[in-house]
Amino acid sequence: MALAYIIIAFVIILLNIGEVPRIVGMILGDAFTPMAGFGAAIGWGVKRGVYSNEAGQGTGPHAAAAANVDHPAQQGLVQSFSIYIDTLLVCSATAFMILITGAYNVHGPESTFLVQNLAETVGANGPAFTQLAIESTMPGVGKLFIAFALFFFAFTTILAYYYIAETNIAYIRRTFKVNGLMFLLKLVLITSVFYGTVKAANLAWAMGDVGVGLMAWLNIVGILIIFFIAKPAIVALKDYEKQQKEGVEEYTFNPVALGIKNADYWEGRYERKTGKKSEAVKKGDSVSAQTQTS
């Protein structure tokens, strides 16, 4: 779906190729104004960017933890690359389609408009701008294509967030044995989906902003604490890069040798893979040399 979306965007850009220099100039010019720094960049860019790539929210590890890789840094690099796919390509494709066709309004204070290219009834918190942008270039395509795109994007989002929530419930139940939590989760999710289909998007965005804000702040505090105490991600990345330079045929990961605690899964995986117990190496020994021996 993302690929089809990007292709449509490229077609619209090619059909309006003469407008590209002006649009790029507009984006760069507006991005470095004081108002962008204090208003749009923080108020809209950061919030919607976080929705797009989920960086710092703490939701990425749920799916990443289910991946089967030889070294955790491999999946970490994949997760980092996905940010560019989501934000740099998909979000930029949307921006170029809307700006290049002029299918947007810029809302000012007290229900005024700084720029009004569309009717005042067209809401900004929805797909209308993108639909009208595609429709203006490809008549008869815009509404249908965005409807299908939204269906697939929404469907995969619902699946992803349900998987995240179910994983959280399963983790909570390891400590608190409460029956019926999974059923309650399904009921809440189905109710939320139904409610979202019959109500305006403003409430959903507002609730999402509050929820994501709380989640991100808690997660970022945790990341900073762990980063300054142990730096496990940096240590794992350096170990992966070291093995890369040494040209190993199969990567291994020994968390104990790297001083990374509580990585029970990786300790067990290392022992099963190498046939030896995961142990810390002495100072001066080669970590990768030990992880390659069995």
Side-chain angles (χ1 to χ4, degrees):
M1 191 63 254
L3 181 61
Y5 191 80
I6 292 170
I7 290 173
I8 289 290
F10 271 118
V11 170
I12 292 175
I13 292 170
L14 288 174
L15 292 175
N16 298 273
I17 195 68
E19 291 290 307
V20 171
R22 181 181 68 83
I23 297 303
V24 172
M26 179 195 302
I27 293 172
L28 294 177
D30 288 352
F32 295 101
T33 61
M35 284 303 296
F38 292 102
I42 295 174
W44 288 98
V46 173
K47 287 196 295 186
R48 299 302 173 251
V50 168
Y51 272 117
S52 156
N53 55 55
E54 301 186 14
Q57 284 188 34
T59 52
H62 295 74
N68 183 22
V69 291
D70 293 325
H71 197 289
Q74 292 173 310
Q75 185 62 24
L77 292 171
V78 170
Q79 294 295 115
S80 299
F81 179 70
S82 69
I83 292 174
Y84 295 95
I85 300 297
D86 288 337
T87 303
L88 193 63
L89 294 182
V90 175
C91 290
S92 294
T94 303
F96 270 89
M97 283 192 292
I98 291 172
L99 293 176
I100 210 166
T101 58
Y104 63 92
N105 292 332
V106 178
H107 292 259
E110 298 180 0
S111 301
T112 59
F113 289 94
L114 302 179
V115 176
Q116 185 177 4
N117 297 328
L118 305 173
E120 62 181 20
T121 55
V122 179
N125 287 329
F129 286 180
T130 311
Q131 284 180 326
L132 292 171
I134 298 176
E135 191 73 21
S136 66
T137 306
M138 303 176 181
V141 175
K143 293 182 179 180
L144 184 64
F145 178 77
I146 293 300
F148 276 106
L150 282 176
F151 171 79
F152 285 108
F153 284 140
F155 181 66
T156 53
T157 299
I158 292 168
L159 289 180
Y161 274 90
Y162 175 77
Y163 175 76
I164 291 168
E166 188 178 75
T167 304
N168 291 339
I169 295 294
Y171 184 81
I172 291 171
R173 289 184 63 184
R174 293 170 61 183
T175 306
F176 302 99
K177 306 296 183 181
V178 180
N179 295 324
L181 284 180
M182 289 298 183
F183 175 77
L184 180 62
L185 170 63
K186 294 172 183 177
L187 186 64
V188 169
L189 185 73
I190 293 172
T191 304
S192 300
V193 171
F194 175 76
Y195 184 81
T197 61
V198 297
K199 293 294 181 179
N202 291 338
L203 178 61
W205 281 116
M207 293 177 64
D209 288 342
V210 173
V212 168
L214 291 172
M215 183 168 57
W217 275 112
L218 291 171
N219 187 63
I220 289 170
V221 169
I223 290 173
L224 291 175
I225 292 172
I226 294 173
F227 178 80
F228 285 109
I229 292 176
K231 301 182 180 179
I234 303 299
V235 172
L237 178 60
K238 288 182 178 178
D239 178 60
Y240 175 71
E241 292 175 339
K242 187 173 184 178
Q243 293 186 50
Q244 255 190 333
K245 291 178 181 177
E246 293 174 355
V248 300
E249 294 183 1
E250 190 173 4
Y251 293 98
T252 53
F253 181 68
N254 184 354
V256 176
L258 298 171
I260 298 175
K261 300 179 180 179
N262 302 319
D264 298 336
Y265 168 80
W266 287 103
E267 290 179 27
R269 184 186 177 103
Y270 173 79
E271 292 172 10
R272 291 191 300 271
K273 194 171 184 178
T274 63
K276 66 183 298 184
K277 189 172 179 59
S278 179
E279 296 176 347
V281 296
K282 295 179 181 179
K283 190 174 182 180
D285 289 346
S286 170
V287 172
S288 57
Q290 181 190 4
T291 57
Q292 292 177 60
T293 59
S294 59

